[in-house]
Amino acid sequence: MRRFVSLATIVFVVLAVTLPVAADSARTNYNKGMDAEKRQDYERAFEYYQEAYRQKPKDLRYRTAYEHTKFLAGAAHVHRGQLLRDGGKLDEALAEFQKASTIDPSSFIAQQELRRTQDMINKATNPPQSVAPMPDSLRKRLAEAQGPVELSAISNVPITLKLTEDTKVIYETVGKLAGINVLFDPDYTSRKIRIELNGVTLEEALGIIALESKTFWRPVTPNTVFVATDNPAKRKELDQSVIKTFYLSNLSQATELQDVVNAVRTLLEVQRIQQLQSQNAIIVRGTPDQIALAQKLVDDLDKAKSEVVIDVVVMQVSRDKSRTLGITPPTSTSISLNNNINTTPTTNPQTGVTTTPTTSGTSTASGGINLNRIGNLNATDFTITIPGITASAIIGDSNTKIIQNPQIRALDGQKATLKIGDRVPVATGSFQPGIGGVGINPLVNTQFQYLDVGVNIDITPRVHAGREVSLKVSLDISSVTGNSNIGGISQPIIGQRKIEHEIRLKEGEVNLLGGMIEEDQTQSLSGLPILAQIPFLKYFFGQDVRDHRENELVFALIPHIVRGPDVNDSNQRLIDVGTANALQLRHISKVETVPAGQAAALAGAPGQAPPAANPARPTPSVAPVTGASFLFDPGAITAAKAQTFTVNILISGAQNVYSVPLQLNYDPSKLQLMNVSNGGFLSQDGQTVALVHREDETTGTLQITATRPPNSGGVSGQGSVVTLTFMAKASGQSPLTITRGGARDPSMQAITVNGAQAVVTIQ
């Protein structure tokens, strides 16, 4: 029992000592946090409040302060990170955004800036080689769509072709050069046109031919196209039709869904579109290009609205000073008759007693006098009353501070309203109901309306680029200053200070909307005439009263963006969507690599031999010739920095050569390709040679295919296949290496050709 009592005593003593210490520590941290918050050091204030809240989690003061400064501290880190990122310090900015996300996980702006900065770091460290594929085929189709055609001063010639032929022959020639199949509609009517192609890709060539011949084409397989006459009936018959449901997750009003539907229907000319408001979804049916563009519009428009937190600070400071100094002398006297004026006292000489006789039946008012006594009046019959003298020396000085700091969170373009105060009834009218009779006053009913008196704030924010916010503000600070009797009804007198305007601020910028200063000065002097106006004597013969009142009202707005506009590069990308009559996407041409184990392949159909333009024509089988090789002329090049030079790629020992595909590698940091032109070997008999040229400037890979016209046979001997023009960019050495290459005969059988290498020295 004693042991239990001793243990309980120890526990009691420990609790009695530790609990006050813990409470005092929490209070100390809270006070430090308040001090840091007043100095606008929100990060330090958050740390102190967090520690106080951890020590006493049940205290609402500590929890409120902790939750309030959590947002402010996160916003401070976001703002610092934005400044660091603008200065090019991406790693330090990333650390600040991570701190902001850790402090306030609900901060959308911190997460957005974190992702954006991480993407910038990834792009800086790993430059993208090509457009990243999107998760589904439609997004991939959109990602491969190219923008408007841009002319370049440097001539790169992938395909060069000059023909005046039947359109079928032209289509088949381009198909033969690119290694694709060309199919024609049974109702297709061919006609002869003149076509001249210089520096175009495969899709560009097909598009130009379709424009000249008033036809259109669409892909059937990855290496087959179908050509038909361009008219609405054929397009409707041959165009593919797909269907897709788009779910929009960021809509808040029914009109927003209708806006998206109208945009898709109007811009893309989609007639088959259905909206489902219950699911916030739209179902679209159209061609693959229309659906791909609809996906882009949905991605562009279905964005979470920006959000803004606005700190509203209302500061009212009143100061009253009063001074009363001086002596108040008597300024008036009163004289009155004594009450005993109508009686004459008599004195008994023997006893010395004075008696006043009374008159029975006679009543005399106080201060009254009989007419026969007027002549006997003397000074003892009057009483003079003189007021007392008052000396005053009073001074008063009072300060009143009223600070209100409400916080408003609002969506972009949506009005937010905050009302703090009372609702005061105000009579607006009265009426008499139709009751009562003669001589009876009917009842009178008075109508009232309620006015919001206090702090009334209406703010409509609009978030702009560059972290700027426009605020349409209506601030109304009102109070009941008195009452007035109107028509027998006491009506309140409401004092009002109101501001209505629209401003544009930087995120985090403090703006004073207006300092309303009222100043009243009152001075009064009372006392004896003339004497009270003498400068020094006025304090002895008068009283000087002075009142000075100042009232200043200041409004301050501080916007903080908690969710910014999420606009990325794909939303701002320009897309070529065809003509007004035919909506279609133009796709970026792919660079295909030659599969391992094969000598070469035509670009656009790797590892596959394209069919002949005329399948019915028999082609002789020619055995591959060995011993052929590529050569560089010259084999060693010396060039100065910023100088251009040319190098020829020769073929030697080859026979019956119809096409020459090859792949060349160089150092892109040292060299820049300027031009590719025909070398003369394949055109030695006067035939026109088509060049297909595809380059990857990031890896320094150049693929070239030089091909003779269809049905023109092959050539033999030695000569220059192509001539390359480079510009020296930086000092050093760069090898020129033919990593893959070969030749093909008219039947498209492979001819083995040995590779070659040259060295370019840049001084």
Side-chain angles (χ1 to χ4, degrees):
M1 184 67 181
R2 289 181 178 179
R3 181 177 300 175
F4 176 76
V5 173
S6 300
L7 181 60
T9 303
I10 294 173
V11 172
F12 176 77
V13 172
V14 171
L15 292 177
V17 173
T18 57
L19 289 180
V21 171
D24 185 72
S25 177
R27 189 181 306 109
T28 301
N29 287 324
Y30 179 74
N31 293 333
K32 291 181 179 179
M34 291 180 62
D35 181 67
E37 186 177 3
K38 291 178 181 178
R39 290 183 282 105
Q40 296 186 353
D41 188 359
Y42 299 117
E43 301 167 33
R44 186 65 59 86
F46 170 74
E47 295 175 358
Y48 285 129
Y49 287 146
Q50 185 182 34
E51 184 63 23
Y53 174 62
R54 186 188 62 80
Q55 293 173 346
K56 295 193 68 177
K58 295 183 179 180
D59 196 318
L60 293 180
R61 293 181 304 166
Y62 302 158
R63 180 175 182 178
T64 303
Y66 162 72
E67 295 292 345
H68 173 67
T69 54
K70 178 171 67 174
F71 163 74
L72 295 176
H77 280 291
V78 169
H79 184 62
R80 188 180 299 112
Q82 290 169 341
L83 294 178
L84 291 172
R85 187 181 60 192
D86 293 342
K89 301 177 181 179
L90 298 181
D91 294 333
E92 298 178 16
L94 184 66
E96 292 294 335
F97 294 138
Q98 290 173 343
K99 291 179 182 178
S101 298
T102 302
I103 292 175
D104 188 5
S106 63
S107 176
F108 294 99
I109 188 68
Q111 298 173 8
Q112 288 177 349
E113 298 291 1
L114 181 63
R115 292 193 299 267
R116 189 176 303 171
T117 307
Q118 187 63 59
D119 292 340
M120 294 175 65
I121 293 176
N122 293 338
K123 290 180 180 179
T125 54
N126 300 313
Q129 301 296 328
S130 59
V131 179
M134 305 182 85
D136 56 78
S137 60
L138 294 177
R139 293 176 182 245
K140 181 179 179 181
R141 189 181 187 91
L142 179 63
E144 294 174 352
Q146 73 177 23
V149 178
E150 296 182 1
L151 299 178
S152 175
I154 301 174
S155 176
N156 292 322
V157 189
I159 294 180
T160 300
L161 184 63
K162 297 180 181 180
L163 287 176
T164 302
E165 269 292 349
D166 188 84
T167 54
K168 281 190 175 182
V169 175
I170 296 176
Y171 270 117
E172 290 173 348
T173 301
V174 173
K176 185 74 172 179
L177 295 176
I180 63 171
N181 303 314
V182 181
L183 305 179
F184 294 94
D185 182 69
D187 299 332
Y188 180 79
T189 301
S190 180
R191 62 189 182 89
K192 181 177 291 188
I193 63 172
R194 174 179 174 79
I195 196 74
E196 182 174 345
L197 304 177
N198 292 302
V200 295
T201 63
L202 171 62
E203 290 192 5
E204 291 171 343
L206 293 176
I208 293 173
I209 298 172
L211 183 64
E212 286 285 338
S213 61
K214 298 187 181 304
T215 58
F216 77 98
W217 59 273
R218 72 172 183 89
V220 179
T221 66
N223 63 341
T224 305
V225 296
F226 189 87
V227 181
T229 304
D230 191 3
N231 58 69
K234 281 296 180 181
R235 282 191 174 272
K236 186 176 181 180
E237 176 185 350
L238 298 176
D239 276 341
Q240 293 179 337
S241 181
V242 295
I243 189 171
K244 182 175 175 62
T245 302
F246 299 94
Y247 293 92
L248 290 81
S249 59
N250 295 292
L251 303 183
S252 57
Q253 299 178 3
T255 56
E256 296 177 0
L257 180 63
Q258 185 63 45
D259 290 342
V260 176
V261 171
N262 292 339
V264 174
R265 178 183 289 119
T266 303
L267 296 178
L268 305 182
E269 298 180 355
V270 177
Q271 302 301 325
R272 295 178 176 86
I273 180 171
Q274 179 66 40
Q275 59 177 328
L276 291 86
Q277 293 186 1
S278 60
Q279 299 291 331
N280 275 348
I282 58 175
I283 304 174
V284 185
R285 178 186 172 186
T287 65
D289 289 344
Q290 287 177 323
I291 301 301
L293 290 172
Q295 180 71 66
K296 172 178 170 53
L297 292 180
V298 169
D299 292 342
D300 294 345
L301 300 177
D302 186 23
K303 298 284 188 180
K305 285 191 174 182
S306 303
E307 289 187 77
V308 182
V309 169
I310 304 151
D311 288 329
V312 182
V313 182
V314 182
M315 297 172 285
Q316 184 174 1
V317 180
S318 300
R319 184 172 185 179
D320 297 338
K321 287 184 179 182
S322 63
R323 190 195 70 176
T324 304
L325 186 62
I327 296 174
T328 305
T331 58
S332 64
T333 61
S334 62
I335 301 175
S336 62
L337 292 173
N338 292 328
N339 293 333
N340 58 355
I341 190 171
N342 289 323
T343 61
T344 302
T346 60
T347 303
N348 190 342
Q350 296 179 355
T351 61
V353 177
T354 302
T355 61
T356 302
T358 61
T359 303
S360 61
T362 303
S363 177
T364 304
S366 176
I369 184 172
N370 294 327
L371 293 177
N372 60 352
R373 291 287 297 163
I374 293 178
N376 298 324
L377 292 176
N378 54 35
T380 60
D381 296 327
F382 295 93
T383 300
I384 299 176
T385 302
I386 301 176
I389 298 175
T390 303
S392 301
I394 302 172
I395 189 172
D397 191 351
S398 63
N399 290 325
T400 303
K401 296 181 180 179
I402 301 176
I403 299 178
Q404 294 177 327
N405 188 17
Q407 196 176 71
I408 302 175
R409 180 164 180 165
L411 285 173
D412 182 49
Q414 301 294 324
K415 184 175 74 172
T417 301
L418 175 65
K419 299 180 183 295
I420 303 174
D422 304 320
R423 304 198 72 193
V424 178
V426 177
T428 58
S430 60
F431 67 93
Q432 294 180 351
I435 61 174
V438 178
I440 301 177
N441 292 328
L443 298 177
V444 178
N445 292 335
T446 304
Q447 297 175 337
F448 292 88
Q449 73 174 6
Y450 289 85
L451 300 181
D452 295 316
V453 177
V455 179
N456 302 314
I457 304 172
D458 292 335
I459 297 180
T460 303
R462 180 72 67 182
V463 180
H464 304 283
R467 302 194 298 273
E468 291 189 351
V469 182
S470 290
L471 299 177
K472 186 177 182 181
V473 183
S474 175
L475 287 179
D476 186 355
I477 309 298
S478 56
S479 61
V480 178
T481 59
N483 291 278
S484 176
N485 192 300
I486 302 176
I489 300 176
S490 180
Q491 296 276 49
I493 300 175
I494 299 175
Q496 186 181 52
R497 297 175 180 89
K498 189 172 183 179
I499 294 178
E500 288 186 1
H501 62 171
E502 188 168 351
I503 57 177
R504 182 163 177 166
L505 303 174
K506 278 283 189 181
E507 193 267 338
E509 179 183 355
V510 181
N511 183 71
L512 297 179
L513 294 184
M516 300 181 183
I517 301 176
E518 296 179 357
E519 184 175 357
D520 296 334
Q521 290 186 356
T522 305
Q523 182 177 0
S524 63
L525 179 64
S526 62
L528 296 177
I530 301 175
L531 294 177
Q533 296 176 346
I534 300 175
F536 180 73
L537 295 179
K538 66 180 181 180
Y539 297 109
F540 297 96
F541 297 97
Q543 190 177 61
D544 187 14
V545 179
R546 296 187 180 185
D547 292 330
H548 186 198
R549 297 177 181 176
E550 292 182 358
N551 187 15
E552 183 176 2
L553 187 62
V554 178
F555 302 94
L557 294 181
I558 309 172
H560 302 280
I561 300 175
V562 296
R563 189 201 303 267
D566 188 11
V567 180
N568 51 42
D569 295 339
S570 63
N571 301 137
Q572 299 177 331
R573 183 183 176 196
L574 294 175
I575 300 295
D576 186 356
V577 295
T579 64
N581 295 329
L583 187 145
Q584 60 182 359
L585 293 175
R586 296 167 58 88
H587 302 285
I588 300 174
S589 300
K590 299 179 181 179
V591 178
E592 301 288 351
T593 59
V594 180
Q598 296 184 10
L602 288 176
Q608 299 179 6
N614 185 4
R617 181 178 59 86
T619 55
S621 176
V622 180
V625 179
T626 60
S629 61
F630 287 114
L631 298 173
F632 283 100
D633 180 26
I637 304 102
T638 301
K641 186 177 179 181
Q643 177 185 353
T644 59
F645 62 91
T646 59
V647 59
N648 297 314
I649 298 180
L650 309 179
I651 189 171
S652 175
Q655 296 182 3
N656 199 22
V657 176
Y658 173 77
S659 176
V660 179
L662 59 90
Q663 177 175 307
L664 175 71
N665 287 86
Y666 61 92
D667 187 352
S669 64
K670 301 291 190 302
L671 300 177
Q672 178 181 349
L673 181 66
M674 305 296 289
N675 190 27
V676 178
S677 59
N678 180 31
F681 173 71
L682 295 178
S683 59
Q684 54 184 282
D685 55 352
Q687 297 291 334
T688 301
V689 176
L691 290 177
V692 178
H693 155 223
R694 294 181 176 91
E695 178 192 10
D696 189 347
E697 297 179 352
T698 59
T699 61
T701 302
L702 174 63
Q703 292 189 351
I704 304 172
T705 301
T707 308
R708 289 168 57 82
N711 305 325
S712 60
V715 294
S716 303
Q718 177 177 340
S720 174
V721 179
V722 291
T723 299
L724 309 179
T725 302
F726 289 95
M727 183 180 71
K729 297 171 56 177
S731 300
Q733 287 188 343
S734 172
L736 296 178
T737 306
I738 298 178
T739 55
R740 294 174 182 173
R744 291 184 180 275
D745 60 15
S747 63
M748 303 309 295
Q749 298 295 319
I751 302 173
T752 303
V753 182
N754 299 322
Q757 185 176 12
V759 177
V760 180
T761 303
I762 305 172
Q763 299 177 348

